[in-house]
């Protein structure tokens, strides 16, 4: 039994699962922050209800996303010891910053935001959600710094067969980072927008009495979907010219491994743009509410950005093979020297755990999403923590 394909499959599975949680987290926190800003400026209670409702869904996804991230980190020490040995000094630096600075700061601000409803001054509470948003984006930045190093190992020198970091600024200016980060962030906005639209469409299908609540939510989600799809397409195509400078063979006709996922991903991107553009027209005239077929398509459309994101990840990761650190460390040389059976066991265990976490996320978020917003007479102070403890 060959350990390499099992190890690669394990990495693909764990990273893909975690990436899906991250996309929705980034997209939703941005929309929640904008909703609370609008609520704080206008003073409208309905907008504050929107913030709490979509905030609950964001927090659930964030909490379970943390669990997937912790599990994912174990594989570097268990399966990819060659990466730690050869490039750990460089690869580990942005990961350490992400964990110690961005992640812990984000969690702290989020805890204060959750339990600060009705207890903290309005503007301080609003500042907290924006700090959560900024630290979430900082976390995404440092993760992408680490991944971009694998794509294009800049700012390093080789010393006794080990890569040493010589210029941290070069990691931040890495063309593999500056081209891909806007694509990831805009894809997150697209994902959050489609999610808000899909949940709102579900309630219209169920003949909700919260007409204005979900009409306003759908407007926000549709605008986010339109802007996200437009930016995602632009940033995606914007990466192609730069690839020739650090991975010239990635998107050539000889690299057949990426042709199918790349083409399918591009198709889904344009479909998302067309759907969001059409949705804005239907929403403007309220035509969407007259067609249950359209509402059903909006609901099922939640999955579209997730599928496109996985395809994009496949293009980015498979396209640089057989290198783990492009031009420096081959994937086959980075696998831990342990029996394939042990890697298979860890792969099965991780996959089962991720499946449980994904199902838990789906069940909890579905329960809150179907329940809808709390009644207007419920107090803001207890709303978010109480609902989260009772989910």
């Amino acid at each position: 039994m060959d350990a390499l394909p099992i190890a690669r499959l394990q990495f693909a599975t764990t990273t893909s699962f975690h990436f899906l949680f991250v996309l929705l987290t980034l997209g939703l926190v941005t929309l929640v922050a904008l909703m609370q800003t609008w609520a704080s400026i206008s003073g409208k209670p309905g907008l504050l209800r929107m913030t709490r409702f979509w905030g609950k869904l964001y927090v659930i996804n964030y909490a379970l996303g943390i669990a997937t991230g912790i599990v994912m980190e174990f594989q570097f020490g268990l399966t990819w010891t060659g990466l730690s040995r050869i490039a750990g000094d460089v690869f580990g630096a942005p990961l350490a910053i992400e964990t110690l600075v961005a992640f812990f700061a984000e969690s702290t601000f989020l805890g204060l935001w959750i339990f600060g409803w009705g207890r903290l001054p309005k503007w301080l509470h609003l500042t907290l959600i924006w700090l959560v948003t900024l630290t979430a984006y900082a976390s995404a930045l440092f993760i992408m710094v680490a991944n971009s190093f694998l794509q294009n190992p800049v700012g390093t020198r080789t010393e006794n067969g080990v890569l040493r970091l010589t210029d941290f600024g070069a990691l931040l200016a890495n063309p593999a980072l500056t081209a891909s980060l806007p694509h990831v962030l805009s894809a997150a906005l697209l994902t959050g927008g489609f999610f808000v639209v899909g949940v709102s469409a579900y309630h219209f299908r169920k003949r909700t009495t919260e007409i204005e609540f979900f009409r306003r939510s759908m407007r926000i989600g549709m605008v986010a979907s339109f802007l996200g799809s437009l930016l995602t397409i632009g940033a995606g195509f914007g990466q192609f010219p730069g690839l020739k400078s650090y991975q010239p063979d990635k998107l050539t006709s000889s690299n057949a491994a990426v042709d199918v996922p790349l083409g399918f991903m591009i198709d889904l991107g344009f479909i998302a743009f067309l759907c969001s553009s059409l949705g804005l027209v239907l929403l403007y005239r309220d035509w969407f509410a007259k067609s249950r077929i359209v509402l059903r398509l909006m609901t099922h459309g939640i999955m579209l950005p997730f599928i496109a994101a996985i395809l994009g990840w496949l293009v980015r990761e498979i396209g640089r093979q057989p290198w783990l650190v492009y031009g420096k460390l081959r994937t086959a040389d980075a696998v831990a020297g342990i029996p394939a059976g042990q890697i298979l066991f860890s792969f099965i265990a991780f996959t089962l755990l991720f499946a449980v976490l994904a199902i838990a996320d789906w069940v909890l978020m579905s329960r809150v999403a179907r329940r809808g917003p709390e009644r207007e007479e419920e107090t803001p102070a207890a709303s978010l923590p109480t609902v989260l403890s009772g989910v």
Side-chain angles (χ1 to χ4, degrees), residues 1-186:
M1 186 186 300
D2 189 358
L4 178 59
I6 302 173
R8 289 185 62 189
L9 187 59
Q10 180 191 78
F11 186 85
T13 302
T14 55
T15 308
S16 298
F17 265 101
H18 181 62
F19 186 42
L20 297 181
F21 283 91
V22 170
L23 274 181
L24 185 56
T25 294
L26 285 173
L28 274 182
V29 73
T30 304
L31 297 182
V32 169
L34 290 172
M35 290 175 186
Q36 185 166 349
T37 302
W38 190 7
S40 299
I41 294 174
S42 67
K44 295 180 180 179
L47 292 172
L48 199 59
R49 289 179 69 215
M50 285 176 57
T51 304
R52 290 199 296 272
F53 174 67
W54 298 109
K56 296 168 196 171
L57 294 168
Y58 154 68
V59 171
I60 293 170
N61 189 74
Y62 174 82
L64 291 171
I66 291 175
T68 63
I70 294 173
V71 174
M72 187 186 70
E73 294 292 337
F74 280 109
Q75 70 182 325
F76 293 120
L78 292 173
T79 310
W80 300 100
T81 54
L83 175 63
S84 302
R85 185 179 66 256
I86 303 299
D89 287 357
V90 185
F91 184 72
L95 291 182
I97 295 174
E98 187 274 335
T99 301
L100 296 175
V101 179
F103 171 70
F104 283 122
E106 180 184 3
S107 301
T108 301
F109 292 137
L110 180 58
L112 291 171
W113 182 76
I114 291 173
F115 293 98
W117 282 98
R119 298 180 176 92
L120 296 175
K122 177 177 66 174
W123 297 107
L124 176 58
H125 195 249
L126 175 63
T127 301
L128 285 172
I129 191 60
W130 277 111
L131 288 173
V132 172
T133 305
L134 292 175
T135 48
Y137 276 70
S139 180
L141 166 64
F142 288 113
I143 290 296
M144 289 302 296
V145 167
N147 181 267
S148 297
F149 161 75
L150 301 180
Q151 307 288 334
N152 184 31
V154 298
T156 64
R157 73 173 188 275
T158 303
E159 182 180 296
N160 298 323
V162 176
L163 293 175
R164 302 296 185 187
L165 180 62
T166 59
D167 185 2
F168 189 80
L171 295 182
L172 297 177
N174 192 340
L177 170 68
T178 56
S180 62
L181 184 62
H183 186 58
V184 171
L185 297 182
S186 55

Side-chain angles (χ1 to χ4, degrees), residues 178-224:
T178 56
S180 62
L181 184 62
H183 186 58
V184 171
L185 297 182
S186 55
L189 181 62
L190 171 64
T191 304
F194 264 68
F195 180 82
V196 171
V197 168
V199 173
S200 300
Y202 168 83
H203 281 275
F204 278 110
R205 284 170 51 204
K206 298 303 178 181
R207 307 300 184 187
T208 179
T209 57
E210 298 278 1
I211 301 295
E212 186 55 33
F213 182 96
F214 285 108
R215 179 184 284 116
R216 184 175 287 168
S217 294
M218 188 174 283
R219 286 172 182 164
I220 295 173
M222 199 63 77
V223 171

